[in-house]
Amino acid sequence: MNITICVAQTKAAPWEEGFRALLPEAHVSTWKPGDPQADHAIVWSPPQAFLDEQPGLKAMFNIGAGVDAIMKLRLPPQTLVVRLDDAGMSVQMAEYVCHAVIRHFREFDGYEADIAAGQWSYRKPRSRADWPVGVMGMGVLGERVARALHVFEFPVHGWSRTPKAVEGVVCHAGIDRFDTFLSSCRVLVNLLPLTPDTENILNRKSLARLQAGGYVINVARGAHLVEDDLIHLLDSGHLSGATLDVFRTEPLPADHPFWQHPKVTVTPHTSARTLRDESIAQIAGKIVALSRGEPIAGVVHRDRGY
Ligand code: NDP
Ligand code: OXD
């Protein structure tokens, strides 16, 4: 069995070593133009040239959850596209989002400024009932985040394409429920995949539906958010702030207004990192399952784009 590795922005050598250790019978190498046809590929943001040269792949394993960079390419028709299925990301995402929600709700930035000024002062306690949180995307990551927020007793709403039932979460499904979902929330967390249906979904119209003083946490993809619309709603006072982990251009350009905006917290696409060992173990298990003709989880539906 031949496994080829084509991973942008990541060192390939540790992935090669990891797959060799778990699949000793496989021939594992890092792709270079002109290489022979492989059976399986391990990819992150591969170039079109890679796919054009590898039309016979049985499966292509993405080393992340989001497959938007792959779905933009011309893909061999029979190749399975497989996304990472949690692999240690959901707990990181729950930590990140709960931290951002609690930091804003408890006004920790304000306390930090007071302490820096040598001031011992109190703010009036806020009621969780006034801070309902909405999670867009109730998949592997979104559901974990919604459950974690429920543990902190925030009212939690979830929005997905198909109906869900999650204890402690008011679940809304489909475009018909989108406005109701938005107007039920003061904090909005985006965990949707980037598809033609979800691009630019965070815009002036949708964000204006959040309750006054709303707060936005975007941890999915930069292209979900119309950045100027967010800045307009922050500056007009309808929104009280945003925590942004993903951007239309990454790294965020040095002159981008988000860097200096007093209501925006920026992190460098780090809310849930790919954990190499967990990911290699998951993918190797799926390669073995496929070789036995068994079904695997995490296969992307090409018609839906995720
Ligand atoms: P999943 O595919 O498991 O979940 C996607 C969810 O979005 C599902 O609940 C799906 O609904 C819902 N959804 C999709 N399209 C629509 C739509 N048009 N309307 C309403 N709901 C929709 O993905 P994950 O939870 O694993 O990951 C989500 C995204 O998080 C990734 O695609 C990636 O972009 C991002 N991500 C970001 C990271 C970071 O570090 N910032 C790290 C990892 C992922 P249904 O359940 O009905 O299908
Ligand atoms: C992912 C990511 O999609 O890290 O996994 O953004």
Side-chain angles (χ1 to χ4, degrees):
M1 179 200 300
N2 283 325
I3 299 176
T4 184
I5 299 185
C6 181
V7 286
Q9 302 144 19
T10 308
K11 286 195 191 106
W15 291 86
E16 268 192 38
E17 284 160 28
F19 280 105
R20 279 196 199 111
L22 289 193
L23 299 171
E25 73 291 355
H27 177 261
V28 186
S29 58
T30 297
W31 179 75
K32 46 184 192 337
D35 272 358
Q37 176 66 57
D39 300 295
H40 297 294
I42 313 301
V43 298
W44 181 253
S45 254
Q48 183 64 54
F50 169 75
L51 293 166
D52 291 346
E53 284 197 19
Q54 294 286 323
L57 288 172
K58 294 185 184 112
M60 184 160 55
F61 294 90
N62 187 43
I63 61 167
V67 290
D68 42 290
I70 295 178
M71 300 316 280
K72 285 193 289 215
L73 301 173
R74 261 188 330 276
L75 302 173
Q78 81 299 337
T79 304
L80 292 181
V81 178
V82 187
R83 41 69 56 91
L84 274 189
D85 206 2
D86 196 332
M89 280 192 283
S90 73
V91 67
Q92 297 177 66
M93 201 51 103
E95 275 164 4
Y96 181 101
V97 172
C98 289
H99 174 268
V101 171
I102 291 167
R103 177 177 164 192
H104 187 66
F105 170 68
R106 293 288 306 271
E107 303 185 80
F108 285 137
D109 285 347
Y111 281 110
E112 225 170 273
D114 293 349
I115 297 303
Q119 257 176 9
W120 182 276
S121 54
Y122 289 107
R123 289 170 160 71
K124 195 165 173 275
R126 290 171 161 177
S127 163
R128 280 174 170 65
D130 296 333
W131 289 86
V133 186
V135 180
M136 298 168 77
M138 287 289 285
V140 174
L141 304 182
E143 181 177 334
R144 178 73 179 254
V145 165
R147 287 185 190 279
L149 289 163
H150 173 62
V151 169
F152 287 106
E153 300 183 12
F154 288 99
V156 185
H157 293 255
W159 185 64
S160 51
R161 210 173 44 83
T162 57
K164 309 275 166 210
V166 179
E167 200 189 329
V169 180
V170 181
C171 293
H172 309 256
I175 197 66
D176 295 348
R177 295 283 298 176
F178 190 43
D179 287 353
T180 309
F181 162 76
L182 291 169
S183 55
S184 309
C185 306
R186 194 152 181 201
V187 180
L188 187 65
V189 179
N190 177 33
L191 270 167
L192 290 168
L194 181 62
T195 67
D197 287 341
T198 66
E199 189 169 0
N200 299 325
I201 195 164
L202 302 176
N203 54 47
R204 195 179 291 211
K205 190 164 163 245
S206 58
L207 297 178
R209 292 198 188 280
L210 294 179
Q211 295 173 9
Y215 194 86
V216 175
I217 300 172
N218 188 18
V219 276
R221 286 291 182 264
H224 284 127
L225 174 68
V226 182
E227 296 179 342
D228 287 345
D229 288 2
L230 175 72
I231 291 175
H232 169 83
L233 290 164
L234 290 168
D235 292 346
S236 74
H238 180 67
L239 296 179
S240 57
T243 289
L244 306 175
D245 185 49
V246 287
F247 304 91
R248 285 189 177 260
T249 306
E250 294 181 5
L252 188 63
D255 59 352
H256 198 288
F258 285 157
W259 283 113
Q260 302 300 338
H261 200 290
K263 294 182 176 176
V264 175
T265 299
V266 167
T267 56
H269 198 143
T270 196
S271 50
R273 304 288 294 271
T274 293
L275 302 179
R276 195 168 53 227
D277 291 349
E278 284 84 339
S279 304
I280 291 172
Q282 181 176 105
I283 295 170
K286 289 182 181 181
I287 290 175
V288 170
L290 285 179
S291 71
R292 293 188 185 135
E294 294 166 5
I296 56 168
V299 176
V300 171
H301 295 234
R302 291 210 190 176
D303 51 339
R304 322 184 297 203
Y306 69 98

